[in-house]
Amino acid sequence: MKTVVIGSGSWGTALAQVLCDNGQDVILYGNCREQIEDIEQNHRNSMFFEDVELHPDLHATLEVEVVADADIIVLSVPTIAIESVCRQIDPLLKKSVIVVNTSKGFHPETNERISEVIRRFISPAHLHSVVSLIGPSHAEEVVIRLLTAICAVSLNDDDAKVIQELFSNDYLRVYTGNDEIGSETGVALKNAIAVASGVLSGLGYGDNTRAALMTRGLAEMIRFGVAMGGKAETFIGLTGIGDLIVTCSSRHSRNFQAGYEIGKANDAQAFWKYNKKTVEGVRTAKVVHELAEKMGIEMPIVNEIYSVLYEGKDPKRSARDLMLRDLKPEA
Ligand SMILES: NC(=O)C1=CN([C@@H]2O[C@H](COP(=O)(O)OP(=O)(O)OC[C@H]3O[C@@H](n4cnc5c(N)ncnc54)[C@H](OP(=O)(O)O)[C@@H]3O)[C@@H](O)[C@H]2O)C=CC1
Ligand SMILES: O=C(CO)COP(=O)(O)O
């Protein structure tokens, strides 16, 4: 089976290397010449992994036509690019493929989950199924083969198993799941909570604060995910609490890092002016804030991070307002 990974950024490179390690037929497609040439000529992707030497059999190309004879297509681009990539590849496909989504977030305008976007823009004749391969997995650690566990989530159980077997090895353990709504809302929302975690650290708060944020953030993730149609128990798995833990407490997380800078400056202006990295939680905070307001779901942390990012609210005041909300039981 031939796999094409689309997106030569950090996650696409790390996942393509996993498949090389597993002896699979894989090629990485990207639209950035510098990244592709670096991989092909130097076995490195220095823009993302400074000193990591990549698998010698990892090949990368600027030619999107490689998707034509693929059996499996892995999408590793930011959520804002998912629609355009699907539109670009659909006319090129010659087989019915499994599309593996690895992005975490929602469509920036329609607020759809990413599996829904893929089903809308890849024609049924070309789409065998969608599998989301998601969970706690910083690319910086997977690329140096540190032990990691994630989940292949799909409405098609057989294809979830295909993807599980394709990617599993002695450093990457892949579970399967079928709660697409719960898992995809979980991995999206944890990014917004991770921005808040960074803000609180940047403001100088400590471990107690982070534990409180993660616990109450999880409560919001469950409330929102269940209202969208997901199962509560999914949120105590890898695509819920697992991904929340790794993103809220890791120096690798770009969501955490962005929040940290905002907290340190006690202001989000510099983030909007200078950030060039993929920080999915920022858009997710907006999508979830809007959806939750429409559906009447109580999301105090997401609403505060939305106010900091989009309404210029002072982060310190946001933290204080969260502490001084009406007192209530923990539920
Ligand atoms: N990094 C990680 O540890 C993990 C990331 N994810 C998720 O994976 C998704 C991708 O993130 P990540 O790899 O980190 O992001 P990066 O910013 O590291 O890389 C994104 C890559 O996608 C490329 N790209 C953007 N638009 C297109 C397009 N239209 N066609 C082809 N390539 C395109 C970018 O190219 P260019 O540089 O030219 O813009 C870049 O190479 C996100 O949703 C993220 O949440 C999930 C798990 C782990
Ligand atoms: O999703 C991730 C880890 O599971 C990556 O997190 P960041 O996008 O915050 O770096």
Side-chain angles (χ1 to χ4, degrees), residues 32-328:
C32 175
R33 182 168 294 280
E34 202 181 332
Q35 290 159 19
I36 299 302
E37 286 181 352
D38 199 15
I39 295 168
E40 277 294 290
Q41 290 162 15
N42 311 316
H43 301 299
R44 285 176 195 272
N45 194 345
S46 326
M47 209 178 271
F48 301 99
F49 310 117
E50 235 175 274
D51 293 321
V52 177
E53 195 172 331
L54 299 168
H55 195 296
D57 295 340
L58 175 56
H59 289 291
T61 178
L62 286 160
E63 286 169 21
V64 69
E65 291 73 20
V66 289
V67 298
D69 61 341
D71 303 288
I72 295 168
I73 296 195
V74 179
L75 299 182
S76 286
V77 295
T79 49
I80 38 159
I82 292 283
E83 177 182 329
S84 64
V85 167
C86 288
R87 283 181 187 276
Q88 183 186 19
I89 63 171
D90 188 47
L92 303 171
L93 297 174
K94 296 220 167 77
K95 296 183 191 171
S96 176
V97 297
I98 300 178
V99 176
V100 179
N101 160 53
T102 68
S103 304
K104 296 174 174 174
F106 299 94
H107 187 289
E109 279 130 34
T110 65
N111 298 347
E112 293 161 291
R113 286 180 295 103
I114 300 306
S115 287
E116 298 177 298
V117 180
I118 293 167
R119 280 193 284 267
R120 193 149 66 88
F121 291 101
I122 302 288
S123 46
H126 295 155
L127 187 62
H128 199 265
S129 66
V130 182
V131 179
S132 279
L133 186 63
I134 44 184
S137 51
H138 285 300
E140 294 82 352
E141 297 193 357
V142 173
V143 83
I144 55 167
R145 304 177 177 88
L146 300 188
L147 307 189
T148 300
I150 55 177
C151 203
V153 182
S154 181
L155 303 178
N156 183 322
D157 291 335
D158 291 339
D159 285 355
K161 281 188 202 135
V162 169
I163 298 308
Q164 175 183 45
E165 274 165 31
L166 192 78
F167 281 90
S168 290
N169 60 26
D170 63 353
Y171 67 87
L172 184 65
R173 183 171 171 80
V174 183
Y175 289 81
T176 55
N178 56 21
D179 181 10
E180 186 187 274
I181 300 177
S183 287
E184 289 184 8
T185 51
V187 298
L189 245 172
K190 62 87 190 179
N191 280 336
I193 307 295
V195 176
S197 178
V199 169
L200 292 170
S201 290
L203 286 172
Y205 296 114
D207 297 342
N208 296 350
T209 317
R210 185 177 309 142
L213 174 87
M214 287 167 66
T215 311
R216 297 312 301 161
L218 181 63
E220 290 187 26
M221 285 164 59
I222 296 174
R223 235 180 275 141
F224 183 81
V226 168
M228 299 297 283
K231 294 181 189 145
E233 59 266 31
T234 300
F235 291 84
I236 54 165
L238 291 166
T239 58
I241 193 166
D243 215 350
L244 181 70
I245 293 170
V246 88
T247 321
C248 284
S249 49
S250 167
R251 68 198 162 89
H252 296 306
S253 166
R254 293 152 303 176
N255 286 286
F256 180 91
Q257 288 163 9
Y260 187 83
E261 293 308 321
I262 292 168
K264 240 175 43 185
N266 199 34
D267 193 287
Q269 270 181 45
F271 167 79
W272 287 116
K273 211 163 163 193
Y274 300 113
N275 177 65
K276 294 219 161 27
K277 290 188 179 169
T278 300
V279 184
E280 296 278 21
V282 168
R283 264 190 312 277
T284 294
K286 186 166 187 286
V287 170
V288 173
H289 168 78
E290 284 170 8
L291 287 174
E293 209 159 61
K294 247 190 239 158
M295 296 168 73
I297 310 165
E298 198 190 356
M299 304 286 285
I301 298 169
V302 170
N303 291 343
E304 287 301 336
I305 200 67
Y306 172 84
S307 294
V308 166
L309 290 166
Y310 294 94
E311 297 174 333
K313 186 166 177 179
D314 170 330
K316 215 164 200 158
R317 217 187 111 212
S318 259
R320 185 182 145 83
D321 286 351
L322 279 171
M323 293 304 284
L324 295 177
R325 294 169 64 236
D326 286 349
L327 296 172
K328 48 179 67 180

Side-chain angles (χ1 to χ4, degrees), residues 11-33:
W11 197 215
T13 302
L15 285 174
Q17 179 175 258
V18 170
L19 294 183
C20 282
D21 283 346
N22 293 359
Q24 296 294 331
D25 178 3
V26 58
I27 185 151
L28 181 57
Y29 157 75
N31 63 0
C32 175
R33 182 168 294 280

